[in-house]
Amino acid sequence: MAVAQPRPKSAPKINATAKGKLQMHRRSRTGCYTCRLRRKKCDEGSPCCSACKNLGLQCDYKRPMWWSNNEHRGLQKDNIKMIIKRKKLTEKTNSATTQVMTPGDETPPGLSHSLPTSATFSDSIDRTRSASIDSQFSLDFDFNSAPGVADFTAYNAQMHSSHSQYAPMYPEYSPYEVDVKTERQMFVNDSLTRRESTISTFSTYHPPAPPDAMLPSFPADADWLEDVYGGRKESLAEEALNTNFFDFSHGVPLATRQVAIELDEGDQRLLDHFIEFVLPSIFPILETNQHGSARSDLILPALESNKCYLHCCLSISAQHLKATMHIQGEQIDNDIMRHRYATISELCEALNQDEDHRQILEATLGMIFFQCSVGRYDDSLPDIPWHQHFQAAISLVQKLELPRIVVEMSQQEHQTPFNMTLTSWIDILGATIQGRAPTFAHTYREKHLSSSNSSLGLRELMGCEDRVMYLISEIACLEALKRDGMDDIQLCQHVHSLGDQIGLTEIGESGPKIPFNAQGVLSPKQLSKNITATFRLAARIYLCSLVPGFTPTQASCIGLVAKLASALEFIPSGPGGFDRSLVWVYLIGGSVSTLSSPFRNLFEERIMGLGELAQFGSFGRLACLLNEVWSHVDGQHTPGGSDAPYVSWRDVMQMKGWDFLLI
């Protein structure tokens, strides 16, 4: 008996279906990065895809900064989820409101229709602008925090009377919410370098104007706008940063850089102390200007590759450790002297081989300049004077032909040799300490007269304009000529001429100002102007001291010292300030200040602000020297009853046997 068998289904159809299920679509590589992060299909609309436009997200077709970092990518994904969650919550609330209110009822304005807001309105600027601190797309924006409540009482007077009646009738319903978006852009040489946006929201029952219309102005807002934009005017005028200004290579930032050096336990402790405590006090103005980081790009690499430089820094670290931690005993003194001897031995060996001149110069300059940040004035350990080290530095600079390089350097190929800049700073101010002409005075004169590129990097390194430093070099040359017997008439003529040159550097300057903008951020440009003003006044005092018959009690000198004290008020003080970078300015002004001068009170306040730091380095040596100078002149009179003659700070240093480099 035949049994009917069920007809099998067509196998090809099953295979085709399975094949269709297993087949995967080709992923697009040209979609926006926001959709790629969400793993959603992007229609690649321009200027903004539909998904980002509907959700009010930032649409990036160019690779954003957060894409390269997994942590930032995760934060961006969480922020997008929060935006979508808020969007859905808003839609749900609006839907429930629409169901409760029926057409024909007295519906308050704004519940039956809506205007474009920042969540639904997008333009071409949104997808190209960078994330800013006050933008809702910033990675630092906290979506979980409550929004700030602003006072918009000025708009209450503009509320329409027919709408105000709905406020008590419908307390549960919100009025219009109007978003005001403000864009700020900064251009340098016609190139867009900065773009910021802010979005502020206010509520009103009065129907707002169309999106492209201007809001009405109110008298109460005029002063606010003037203060805000007046305060930000200088910050927007900041010069563009040039991190390749100096010739050292640029590597990993200091916070993430690791120094790989094999040392024993004692030396490793000194190295860690140097990096953590000594390094932050070196070149603070250069770090503020952000024209490259000498700490992470010059000092740390030199520690790894330059053995002489390493011993120099370990010796400096031991000095700092001894002074700050009040450590006494043979062990710490042996560490200081052991590394000093090793530094000198390595230097002599390198000089004999006549190789690696740049590395030798870096170590020699470090032995000179780093001493300005550490140690006490009464440290009795034997050491080679700074000016003997500088003689070796002069020889190395000449072998490297750095003066010729900086003179022939044009504006286009601008990458200043850092070693020449630091050498120039020590040379100019060191010459004023010794009363001689700077070694490279001719080079500074050529740079001062140059029409193509007069910069030597002194402003970027230490804050003072190069032209003012060149004039201080000329004043030092004039003092050397005076010591050699220059005629008083010629001397006064040169003093008058140099005074006019200093006056030319003041053209266009408005005087010192608070170096912080409206947001409390330090402005490097204004800080440099303030520092330049203090050096300019100190240069005038130095120049006046060369005039025959000069005394600190002259009215002109008293006035200059008072102006200097006023200018120093605009220099940030305290451990994080810049007083320790202005030792030469305090020396010139303080040495001629009288007992009733406001400079004395200011100096005492700055010492109190620095605390224990005021006892170390060049600033501690300066404080000790000024106290000695003041003890010789305060209250002293000649037999005739007039004021005592001028006592030079150099004479006091010679009498005490001090050989300080006060820069």
Side-chain angles (χ1 to χ4, degrees):
M1 179 177 177
V3 179
Q5 300 290 334
R7 179 177 298 179
K9 293 183 180 181
S10 176
K13 290 184 178 180
I14 297 176
N15 295 338
T17 305
K19 183 178 180 181
K21 290 183 179 180
L22 295 174
Q23 186 177 6
M24 299 179 64
H25 69 280
R26 180 179 297 178
R27 296 181 61 185
S28 173
R29 297 283 184 180
T30 57
C32 75
Y33 281 86
T34 304
C35 290
R36 291 166 66 177
L37 180 66
R38 298 176 58 218
R39 298 183 179 274
K40 301 294 184 181
K41 185 177 180 180
C42 181
D43 62 0
E44 303 178 18
S46 178
C48 181
C49 71
S50 300
C52 293
K53 186 174 182 179
N54 292 334
L55 295 174
L57 300 176
Q58 183 178 8
C59 192
D60 289 305
Y61 286 98
K62 295 181 180 180
R63 185 185 181 97
M65 294 181 62
W66 49 260
W67 186 263
S68 303
N69 187 293
N70 291 333
E71 183 180 355
H72 289 176
R73 193 185 297 188
L75 291 174
Q76 181 72 6
K77 194 170 184 178
D78 293 340
N79 293 342
I80 291 175
K81 288 181 180 178
M82 185 61 66
I83 294 175
I84 295 174
K85 184 177 180 181
R86 287 193 171 191
K87 174 72 175 178
K88 291 182 178 179
L89 183 61
T90 303
E91 292 176 353
K92 185 177 180 180
T93 304
N94 292 339
S95 176
T97 303
T98 305
Q99 293 177 5
V100 172
M101 299 298 298
T102 59
D105 290 342
E106 294 186 1
T107 307
L111 299 178
S112 58
H113 64 279
S114 61
L115 290 174
T117 64
S118 60
T120 59
F121 182 76
S122 178
D123 55 13
S124 59
I125 298 180
D126 280 334
R127 62 182 289 265
T128 57
R129 68 177 178 86
S130 59
S132 59
I133 295 176
D134 48 7
S135 170
Q136 64 173 341
F137 301 114
S138 173
L139 297 179
D140 298 328
F141 187 84
D142 186 8
F143 288 93
N144 297 320
S145 62
V149 179
D151 183 14
F152 294 104
T153 55
Y155 288 93
N156 294 338
Q158 301 295 323
M159 185 182 296
H160 199 276
S161 59
S162 62
H163 296 157
S164 61
Q165 60 180 322
Y166 295 110
M169 295 173 58
Y170 302 97
E172 67 273 21
Y173 301 123
S174 60
Y176 282 103
E177 289 190 358
V178 182
D179 293 339
V180 180
K181 182 177 181 180
T182 305
E183 293 280 349
R184 298 192 305 272
Q185 299 179 2
M186 182 176 70
F187 292 84
V188 177
N189 296 331
D190 296 331
S191 298
L192 183 63
T193 60
R194 185 178 181 184
R195 177 183 283 144
E196 294 180 351
S197 70
T198 56
I199 298 177
S200 57
T201 305
F202 67 91
S203 302
T204 178
Y205 286 98
H206 184 70
D212 55 347
M214 296 291 294
L215 289 174
S217 60
F218 299 92
D221 293 343
D223 297 335
W224 178 83
L225 292 173
E226 182 178 357
D227 292 341
V228 170
Y229 289 102
R232 292 187 177 183
K233 186 176 180 181
E234 284 296 325
S235 63
L236 294 176
E238 288 286 349
E239 60 186 318
L241 297 179
N242 179 13
T243 54
N244 293 317
F245 185 89
F246 291 108
D247 61 345
F248 45 72
S249 59
H250 302 275
V252 184
L254 179 62
T256 59
R257 182 163 191 131
Q258 300 294 329
V259 180
I261 305 175
E262 294 185 4
L263 298 170
D264 58 33
E265 184 178 353
D267 289 347
Q268 184 64 48
R269 179 173 56 91
L270 293 177
L271 179 61
D272 294 340
H273 183 84
F274 178 83
I275 294 175
E276 184 176 358
F277 297 103
V278 182
L279 202 56
S281 65
I282 299 173
F283 307 124
I285 297 175
L286 175 61
E287 298 295 324
T288 302
N289 289 331
Q290 299 177 7
H291 290 284
S293 174
R295 301 174 190 171
S296 59
D297 297 335
L298 177 68
I299 298 177
L300 292 185
L303 289 173
E304 298 176 333
S305 60
N306 192 339
K307 195 172 181 180
C308 179
Y309 197 89
L310 173 62
H311 285 296
C312 166
C313 293
L314 293 179
S315 175
I316 295 294
S317 177
Q319 282 184 264
H320 188 271
L321 187 64
K322 176 183 178 181
T324 56
M325 302 301 178
H326 306 286
I327 300 176
Q328 300 294 331
E330 294 183 358
Q331 179 62 43
I332 192 68
D333 290 344
N334 288 338
D335 288 338
I336 296 174
M337 296 307 301
R338 174 167 57 89
H339 288 294
R340 276 184 185 174
Y341 178 78
T343 304
I344 301 300
S345 299
E346 293 286 344
L347 276 176
C348 294
E349 182 179 352
L351 288 171
N352 291 333
Q353 294 177 356
D354 200 25
E355 296 177 353
D356 299 327
H357 295 151
R358 177 169 177 167
Q359 289 189 349
I360 305 172
L361 178 59
E362 289 176 354
T364 306
L365 294 176
M367 295 178 67
I368 300 171
F369 191 77
F370 292 173
Q371 286 283 351
C372 298
S373 301
V374 301
R376 295 176 58 91
Y377 75 94
D378 55 356
D379 192 351
S380 59
L381 293 178
D383 194 9
I384 298 176
W386 69 268
H387 44 82
Q388 292 187 20
H389 286 307
F390 193 65
Q391 291 300 318
I394 292 172
S395 176
L396 292 167
V397 166
Q398 293 171 341
K399 286 185 177 181
L400 292 170
E401 298 184 339
L402 295 182
R404 179 189 61 80
I405 293 175
V406 297
V407 168
E408 297 177 356
M409 187 172 56
S410 63
Q411 189 73 29
Q412 288 72 25
E413 50 183 15
H414 189 136
Q415 200 170 28
T416 306
F418 180 81
N419 286 334
M420 185 61 199
T421 304
L422 183 56
T423 300
S424 301
W425 187 264
I426 298 173
D427 185 27
I428 295 174
L429 298 186
T432 65
I433 300 297
Q434 293 186 306
R436 60 169 178 82
T439 304
F440 302 105
H442 182 68
T443 301
Y444 312 140
R445 197 172 295 121
E446 288 192 37
K447 294 293 289 183
H448 183 60
L449 299 175
S450 174
S451 58
S452 59
N453 181 21
S454 61
S455 174
L456 197 54
L458 298 173
R459 179 178 70 89
E460 288 72 19
L461 178 64
M462 300 302 288
C464 181
E465 283 287 347
D466 295 59
R467 294 182 301 163
V468 175
M469 294 303 300
Y470 300 153
L471 291 175
I472 293 176
S473 172
E474 293 297 316
I475 298 173
C477 292
L478 182 60
E479 183 180 19
L481 292 175
K482 177 184 177 181
R483 286 193 167 192
D484 292 339
M486 172 180 276
D487 181 73
D488 288 350
I489 297 178
Q490 288 184 329
L491 176 64
C492 292
Q493 290 175 347
H494 284 289
V495 168
H496 186 272
S497 176
L498 285 175
D500 292 340
Q501 290 293 318
I502 295 175
L504 293 177
T505 65
E506 297 177 336
I507 297 178
E509 298 294 334
S510 57
K513 298 179 181 177
I514 297 176
F516 298 96
N517 60 20
Q519 290 74 39
V521 180
L522 181 66
S523 168
K525 185 177 181 180
Q526 187 58 50
L527 175 65
S528 176
K529 289 183 177 181
N530 294 350
I531 292 176
T532 301
T534 61
F535 271 90
R536 186 185 294 117
L537 288 167
R540 286 193 179 277
I541 296 173
Y542 179 31
L543 183 63
C544 290
S545 67
L546 303 183
V547 177
F550 167 80
T551 61
T553 56
Q554 293 174 347
S556 58
C557 181
I558 294 175
L560 286 174
V561 174
K563 288 183 178 180
L564 177 59
S566 299
L568 287 170
E569 292 280 1
F570 294 93
I571 303 297
S573 60
F578 302 93
D579 287 325
R580 302 181 75 197
S581 300
L582 300 177
V583 172
W584 186 83
V585 173
Y586 280 108
L587 170 66
I588 299 299
S591 62
V592 296
S593 63
T594 58
L595 184 60
S596 59
S597 173
F599 184 94
R600 301 276 187 99
N601 296 330
L602 172 73
F603 189 68
E604 290 298 326
E605 292 175 359
R606 294 305 172 100
I607 290 179
M608 294 178 61
L610 283 172
E612 193 176 21
L613 291 177
Q615 304 175 17
F616 311 134
S618 293
F619 196 93
R621 302 177 185 110
L622 163 73
C624 182
L625 173 60
L626 288 182
N627 287 329
E628 286 290 334
V629 172
W630 294 338
S631 67
H632 282 79
V633 298
D634 290 349
Q636 301 296 323
H637 300 278
T638 60
S642 60
D643 293 333
Y646 169 51
V647 177
S648 172
W649 52 269
R650 285 202 201 97
D651 297 337
V652 176
M653 284 183 63
Q654 185 176 5
M655 180 180 60
K656 302 291 290 188
W658 293 335
D659 195 4
F660 301 148
L661 176 62
L662 300 176
I663 62 175

